[in-house]
Amino acid sequence: TKYYPIYYPHRTQECTAESFELLEDPRAEQVERLADMLGMKRVGWIFAHPPREEGFMFSAEEVMFAAMEQLEAAQGVDKTPFVTIRCTVDPEDGNASVDPFQVSLQCMDMVAEGALGADPDNRSSVVVSPTFTAIKEGKRAETIESQFFLLTIAIKDHTSPILRRHFPMANRIGTMQTTDELKDLLVRPPTQRQHSATKPTKSTIPTKSTNLPTLIQQPTPTPQHSNTLTLQHPNTPTPQHPNTPTPQHPSTPTPQHPN
């Protein structure tokens, strides 16, 4: 899966250091129509968080929301290229860390069945609903670490053949949006820049394609935990799941969706 633009919702979420809540986006329909006209569709969402303690990668809300987004993209419990991108800061060197993930089909299934919930005592774990029985390593488990459901996804850069950037991006280290850059863009549009023999000045950004990441879905991604988990209903030894479960979104999580 290749992605080109990233849509940043404007003031459509309320965030704290531990959670986020999505509000109604008045531009959502407009963005969807624009993406459709460009022949694009949503292929993932991005969330960011402050540095966390070692081993704490996803909260229960983040895991469940990722599962619901995948359920919606796949129209049920099925494989999908839809990804979750986690952004944070390395506490040791201060560098940004951007990593793509998916949740497992088993996680999608359990979320669709309403078998998982947030653990108020441990944000890095999910709680198994009392109406279900989860067997982990041969024992009944009332909570499960969120990392159990995560699959790592390979990523590499690619050059966009359809989108070009001629103005510095906002909130990027080493670049600034200045009046000189804006003046240069207005005086010499990109079409004139491509045919100009003028040597670039300090305020001129040479025309070039924008390098963007490519998210590659591995055919058989390996979960971070090799142990197995069995989900059982109290009255029936083997759960019967609907073919096209409908995800139930929680009231809290949700951030940015790339197109």
Side-chain angles (χ1 to χ4, degrees):
T1 300
K2 294 183 178 181
Y3 78 84
Y4 300 103
I6 299 176
Y7 171 55
Y8 293 79
H10 181 61
R11 296 180 180 177
T12 58
Q13 50 192 314
E14 294 182 354
C15 304
T16 68
E18 298 182 351
S19 64
F20 55 85
E21 179 180 1
L22 185 67
L23 307 177
E24 183 178 357
D25 184 0
R27 298 188 296 183
E29 293 185 4
Q30 181 182 2
V31 172
E32 290 292 341
R33 289 197 302 268
L34 178 59
D36 186 63
M37 287 188 289
L38 292 172
M40 299 180 178
K41 64 178 182 179
R42 286 199 305 123
V43 293
W45 70 290
I46 301 173
F47 75 95
H49 64 77
R52 293 170 172 172
E53 55 268 27
E54 186 176 356
F56 179 14
M57 301 181 67
F58 276 58
S59 68
E61 291 86 355
E62 292 157 358
V63 164
M64 291 188 293
F65 184 76
M68 290 185 292
E69 291 290 282
Q70 289 182 209
L71 284 166
E72 182 177 348
Q75 295 298 302
V77 182
D78 202 355
K79 293 181 179 180
T80 172
F82 199 93
V83 298
T84 295
I85 300 178
R86 184 190 70 134
C87 301
T88 188
V89 177
D90 190 323
E92 295 184 359
D93 55 23
N95 291 328
S97 175
V98 181
D99 302 298
F101 295 90
Q102 284 188 324
V103 296
S104 64
L105 291 176
Q106 184 177 52
C107 180
M108 295 170 65
D109 196 8
M110 296 179 73
V111 169
E113 289 290 330
L116 300 180
D119 185 351
D121 299 324
N122 186 356
R123 295 180 56 234
S124 64
S125 297
V126 295
V127 174
V128 179
S129 171
T131 57
F132 292 83
T133 300
I135 306 300
K136 178 182 176 183
E137 297 179 340
K139 299 179 181 179
R140 178 172 179 171
E142 297 181 353
T143 63
I144 305 169
E145 299 84 356
S146 61
Q147 282 185 266
F148 182 92
F149 298 111
L150 298 180
L151 307 176
T152 56
I153 304 297
I155 185 172
K156 69 177 184 180
D157 289 339
H158 75 96
T159 300
S160 169
I162 59 175
L163 299 176
R164 296 176 183 271
R165 174 171 54 85
H166 304 276
F167 190 71
M169 297 181 67
N171 304 319
R172 295 297 186 272
I173 297 175
T175 62
M176 294 183 62
Q177 294 180 332
T178 65
T179 54
D180 288 339
E181 297 288 0
L182 179 59
K183 179 180 178 181
D184 184 70
L185 182 64
L186 295 175
V187 172
R188 292 202 309 138
T191 54
Q192 295 182 11
R193 294 183 178 196
Q194 294 177 3
H195 302 285
S196 174
T198 304
K199 186 176 181 180
T201 63
K202 182 178 180 181
S203 62
T204 302
I205 301 177
T207 301
K208 63 180 181 179
S209 297
T210 302
N211 288 328
L212 298 169
T214 300
L215 299 175
I216 307 297
Q217 184 178 10
Q218 297 173 330
T220 54
T222 304
Q224 299 181 6
H225 293 261
S226 58
N227 50 346
T228 58
L229 184 69
T230 303
L231 177 66
Q232 296 178 345
H233 290 265
N235 298 327
T236 56
T238 303
Q240 299 297 324
H241 302 297
N243 293 328
T244 56
T246 303
Q248 299 297 323
H249 289 259
S251 58
T252 46
T254 320
Q256 306 159 355
H257 294 279
N259 286 327

